[in-house]
Amino acid sequence: MERQLYSVRMRAAAGGPHEAGGRHISGAERLVAEADLEPTVAGLLRRAREHPLGKADFIRITVEPVDPGTLMLIPSLPVSSVTPPGGVEAARRLAERLLTEAGVAQAAAAAAVSVLANGAGPGGAAMRGAVVMDAAGGRRLEPDPARGVRVSRLDWAADGRRRLAEVLRAAGHAVDAAAAGRVADALAMASKVAWAGAAAEVGWSDDPDYTTGYVAAPPLGYVRIPGIKAAGDTRGGRVFFLPDHVDLNTFIHRLERHPVLVELSGAIIPAPAAR
Ligand code: AMP
């Protein structure tokens, strides 16, 4: 695949840049052809300025060519959804159980859920990247615990984003275009994290209005878990579990630097209410 693509990355904060202590508001990643640069940059600028977490006073949008020779095409994980009866605590226990099914030690699964519940950054602040955790021991491994590891240089291949949005809406995973876009971004990221060698991951948004989280892993696919946090809670984040046989630096390099296009291939299983 020799087409020239550009990585477009956005990050926004309030109270100054992230590196000067600003509060993370929003971030997004795209990989687009030159002809799509202008609408992509405009769309990400709008997204940074209209975020429910507040008004950003620092917005950085970076545009960089990627090396077409290293571009990889990877498959998307299948999507499903489970809603345990019993509220937030039951949803979090379910997330832990799914993580152990994917090979994460029980203590590490519980540690990850507790890190996310308490705010993963220093002092409970939101991180702009993810926690990396040892899948066997539950130790945090990311070099910078304020920033975390940021998955970058990824997008949907061809018209995958549009086709996925249609399927997600038909299957009851998204009520409108904005919700479908959010799931599309999260699924592309989880597919790249699985490709990079993670045993599993768990996450939920720091957006106070968005209470659906997920567990993703190669044997499980991307499992959506509605009600994993209470509405109004601004704590959230992502934890990627590293198995023993994957080298940390290789893992981080793949996540941050290796350009990847995700092809829509995994099944989209209808959400329980839509069945
Ligand atoms: P979101 O799902 O966009 O609401 O993001 C929730 C949290 O996931 C953020 O606060 C970050 O901790 C983490 N996150 C978001 N985007 C990325 C990314 N590209 N790479 C790693 N972690 C991310």
Side-chain angles (χ1 to χ4, degrees):
M1 209 192 309
E2 292 297 319
R3 202 161 52 102
Q4 179 61 64
L5 291 180
Y6 293 80
S7 161
V8 184
R9 310 194 284 281
M10 178 276 286
R11 62 179 166 106
H18 297 88
E19 43 279 57
R23 180 170 60 87
H24 179 65
I25 297 278
S26 168
E29 311 286 332
R30 295 283 183 272
L31 218 46
V32 299
E34 189 165 3
D36 295 323
L37 278 175
E38 281 194 32
T40 302
V41 169
L44 293 185
L45 180 63
R46 189 174 339 109
R47 179 158 157 173
R49 298 183 67 202
E50 295 173 3
H51 202 278
L53 272 177
K55 190 161 172 47
D57 54 21
F58 169 87
I59 301 172
R60 172 162 294 167
I61 297 181
T62 307
V63 179
E64 256 177 357
V66 300
D67 175 1
T70 60
L71 190 63
M72 296 267 312
L73 210 51
I74 66 164
S76 59
L77 292 171
V79 177
S80 61
S81 176
V82 274
T83 310
V88 169
E89 281 314 310
R92 291 180 179 178
R93 296 299 84 76
L94 172 71
E96 289 176 19
R97 188 163 61 71
L98 291 171
L99 289 169
T100 58
E101 280 176 22
V104 175
Q106 168 63 41
V113 167
S114 152
V115 159
L116 294 179
N118 295 313
M127 295 164 77
R128 80 174 193 266
V131 172
V132 179
M133 195 173 268
D134 163 19
R139 252 182 335 123
R140 283 178 73 160
L141 304 172
E142 73 278 12
D144 178 348
R147 175 181 182 273
V149 171
R150 182 120 191 126
V151 185
S152 190
R153 295 169 171 82
L154 77 157
D155 209 334
W156 287 94
D159 65 344
R161 182 179 291 275
R162 188 192 51 76
R163 281 193 298 132
L164 175 64
E166 279 171 18
V167 186
L168 287 172
R169 291 178 74 171
H173 289 294
V175 290
D176 55 23
R182 179 191 278 275
V183 180
D185 284 350
L187 178 59
M189 198 189 313
S191 302
K192 187 177 187 194
V193 173
W195 164 81
E201 64 167 302
V202 58
W204 59 84
S205 181
D206 42 23
D207 178 338
D209 303 329
Y210 196 73
T211 57
T212 298
Y214 69 92
V215 166
L220 303 173
Y222 180 84
V223 184
R224 307 185 68 227
I225 308 176
I228 202 164
K229 74 169 194 178
D233 188 347
T234 54
R235 286 166 300 188
R238 289 178 154 80
V239 179
F240 304 156
F241 290 95
L242 193 71
D244 281 348
H245 63 271
V246 179
D247 172 66
L248 176 64
N249 290 329
T250 307
F251 181 61
I252 292 176
H253 185 270
R254 285 180 187 149
L255 292 179
E256 296 194 334
R257 313 288 314 181
H258 204 119
V260 155
L261 286 175
V262 183
E263 259 187 327
L264 182 53
S265 61
I268 311 289
I269 298 160
R275 268 182 207 151

